Coordinates of all heavy atoms in Angstrom, one line a residue:
P44 N -41.3 41.2 25.4 CA -41.0 39.9 24.9 C -41.3 38.7 25.8 O -41.5 37.6 25.3 CB -39.5 40.0 24.6 CG -38.9 41.1 25.4 CD -40.1 42.1 25.5
F47 N -44.2 36.4 24.9 CA -44.2 35.4 23.8 C -44.4 34.0 24.2 O -44.9 33.1 23.5 CB -42.8 35.4 23.1 CG -42.5 36.6 22.2 CD1 -41.3 37.2 22.3 CD2 -43.4 37.0 21.3 CE1 -41.0 38.3 21.5 CE2 -43.1 38.1 20.4 CZ -41.9 38.7 20.6
Y48 N -44.0 33.7 25.5 CA -43.8 32.3 25.9 C -44.9 31.6 26.5 O -44.8 31.2 27.7 CB -42.5 32.3 26.8 CG -41.3 32.8 26.1 CD1 -40.9 34.1 26.2 CD2 -40.5 32.0 25.2 CE1 -39.8 34.6 25.5 CE2 -39.4 32.5 24.6 CZ -39.1 33.8 24.7 OH -38.0 34.3 24.1
F56 N -40.1 28.8 20.1 CA -38.7 29.2 20.4 C -37.8 28.0 20.3 O -36.7 28.1 19.8 CB -38.7 29.8 21.8 CG -37.3 30.2 22.1 CD1 -36.6 31.2 21.4 CD2 -36.6 29.6 23.2 CE1 -35.3 31.5 21.7 CE2 -35.3 29.9 23.5 CZ -34.6 30.9 22.7
I59 N -37.0 27.7 16.8 CA -36.0 28.7 16.4 C -34.6 28.3 16.7 O -33.7 28.4 15.9 CB -36.3 30.1 17.1 CG1 -37.6 30.7 16.5 CG2 -35.2 31.0 17.0 CD1 -38.1 31.9 17.3
Y65 N -30.3 30.6 13.0 CA -30.2 31.1 14.4 C -29.0 30.4 15.1 O -29.1 29.3 15.7 CB -31.6 30.7 15.2 CG -31.7 31.4 16.5 CD1 -32.0 32.8 16.6 CD2 -31.4 30.7 17.7 CE1 -32.0 33.4 17.8 CE2 -31.5 31.4 18.9 CZ -31.8 32.7 19.0 OH -31.9 33.4 20.2
P67 N -27.2 31.5 17.9 CA -26.9 31.7 19.3 C -26.9 30.4 20.2 O -26.0 30.1 20.9 CB -27.9 32.7 19.9 CG -28.2 33.5 18.7 CD -28.3 32.5 17.5
L170 N -27.9 32.5 31.1 CA -27.4 32.1 29.8 C -28.4 32.4 28.7 O -29.5 32.9 28.9 CB -27.0 30.6 29.8 CG -25.9 30.3 30.8 CD1 -25.7 28.8 30.9 CD2 -24.5 30.9 30.3
G171 N -28.0 32.1 27.4 CA -29.0 32.2 26.3 C -29.0 33.6 25.7 O -29.7 33.7 24.7
G172 N -28.4 34.5 26.3 CA -28.4 35.9 25.7 C -29.7 36.6 26.2 O -30.0 37.7 25.7
T173 N -30.4 36.1 27.2 CA -31.6 36.7 27.6 C -31.4 38.1 28.2 O -32.3 39.0 28.1 CB -32.3 35.8 28.7 OG1 -32.5 34.5 28.1 CG2 -33.7 36.3 29.1
I174 N -30.2 38.3 28.8 CA -29.9 39.7 29.3 C -30.1 40.7 28.2 O -30.4 41.9 28.5 CB -28.5 39.7 29.9 CG1 -28.1 41.0 30.6 CG2 -27.4 39.4 28.8 CD1 -28.7 41.2 31.9
G175 N -29.9 40.3 26.9 CA -30.1 41.2 25.8 C -31.5 41.8 25.6 O -31.7 42.8 24.9
N176 N -32.4 41.2 26.2 CA -33.8 41.6 26.1 C -34.1 42.9 26.9 O -35.1 43.5 26.8 CB -34.8 40.6 26.6 CG -35.3 39.6 25.6 OD1 -35.9 38.6 25.9 ND2 -34.9 39.9 24.3
D204 N -24.9 37.4 23.2 CA -24.7 37.5 21.7 C -23.7 38.7 21.4 O -23.8 39.7 22.1 CB -26.0 37.6 21.0 CG -25.9 37.2 19.5 OD1 -24.8 36.7 19.1 OD2 -26.9 37.4 18.8
A215 N -30.9 35.8 11.5 CA -31.2 34.9 12.6 C -32.6 35.3 13.2 O -33.2 34.4 13.9 CB -30.1 35.1 13.7
Y216 N -33.0 36.5 12.9 CA -34.3 36.9 13.4 C -35.4 37.1 12.4 O -36.5 37.6 12.6 CB -34.2 38.2 14.2 CG -33.4 38.0 15.5 CD1 -32.0 38.0 15.5 CD2 -34.0 37.8 16.7 CE1 -31.2 37.8 16.6 CE2 -33.3 37.6 17.9 CZ -31.9 37.6 17.8 OH -31.2 37.3 19.0
T223 N -39.6 32.5 13.0 CA -39.5 33.6 13.9 C -40.7 34.6 13.7 O -41.2 35.2 14.6 CB -38.2 34.4 13.7 OG1 -37.1 33.4 13.7 CG2 -38.0 35.5 14.7
F226 N -43.4 33.1 15.7 CA -43.1 33.4 17.1 C -43.5 34.8 17.5 O -44.2 35.0 18.5 CB -41.6 33.1 17.3 CG -41.1 33.5 18.7 CD1 -41.3 32.7 19.8 CD2 -40.3 34.6 18.8 CE1 -40.8 33.0 21.0 CE2 -39.7 34.9 20.1 CZ -40.0 34.1 21.2
I260 N -30.9 44.1 18.0 CA -31.9 43.7 16.9 C -33.3 44.1 17.5 O -33.5 44.0 18.7 CB -31.8 42.2 16.6 CG1 -32.7 41.8 15.4 CG2 -32.2 41.4 17.8 CD1 -32.1 41.7 14.1
M262 N -37.5 43.5 16.9 CA -38.6 42.9 16.2 C -39.8 43.7 16.4 O -40.0 44.3 17.5 CB -38.8 41.5 16.8 CG -37.7 40.5 16.6 SD -38.2 38.8 16.4 CE -39.3 38.5 17.8
E292 N -39.8 43.2 20.7 CA -38.5 42.7 21.3 C -37.3 43.5 20.9 O -37.2 43.9 19.8 CB -38.3 41.2 21.0 CG -37.1 40.6 21.6 CD -37.0 39.1 21.5 OE1 -37.2 38.6 20.3 OE2 -36.7 38.4 22.5
I293 N -36.4 43.7 21.9 CA -35.1 44.1 21.5 C -34.2 43.0 22.0 O -34.5 42.4 23.0 CB -34.6 45.5 22.2 CG1 -34.6 45.4 23.7 CG2 -35.5 46.6 21.7 CD1 -33.8 46.5 24.3
S294 N -33.1 42.8 21.3 CA -32.1 41.8 21.7 C -30.7 42.4 21.5 O -30.3 42.5 20.4 CB -32.3 40.5 21.0 OG -31.5 39.5 21.4
C295 N -30.1 42.9 22.6 CA -28.8 43.6 22.5 C -27.7 42.6 22.1 O -27.6 41.5 22.6 CB -28.5 44.1 23.9 SG -28.9 45.9 24.0
K296 N -26.8 43.2 21.3 CA -25.6 42.5 20.9 C -24.4 43.2 21.6 O -24.5 44.4 21.7 CB -25.4 42.5 19.4 CG -26.7 41.9 18.7 CD -27.1 40.6 19.2 CE -28.5 40.2 18.8 NZ -29.0 39.0 19.5
Ligands
AVJ401 C1 -34.4 34.1 24.3 C2 -34.1 36.5 24.2 C3 -32.2 35.1 23.9 O1 -33.1 37.4 21.7 O2 -32.3 35.8 20.5 C4 -35.2 34.5 19.3 C5 -35.4 35.3 21.7 N1 -36.4 36.2 19.6 N2 -35.7 34.9 18.1 C6 -33.1 36.2 21.4 C7 -35.6 35.3 20.3 C8 -36.4 35.9 18.3 C9 -33.9 35.2 22.1 N3 -33.7 35.2 23.6

Side-chain angles (χ1 to χ4, degrees):
F47 285 133
Y48 301 92
F56 179 65
I59 288 174
Y65 193 76
L170 298 168
T173 306
I174 186 77
N176 272 169
D204 198 7
Y216 292 81
T223 309
F226 174 74
I260 187 98
M262 297 209 313
E292 179 169 47
I293 64 162
S294 185
C295 260
K296 307 308 164 191

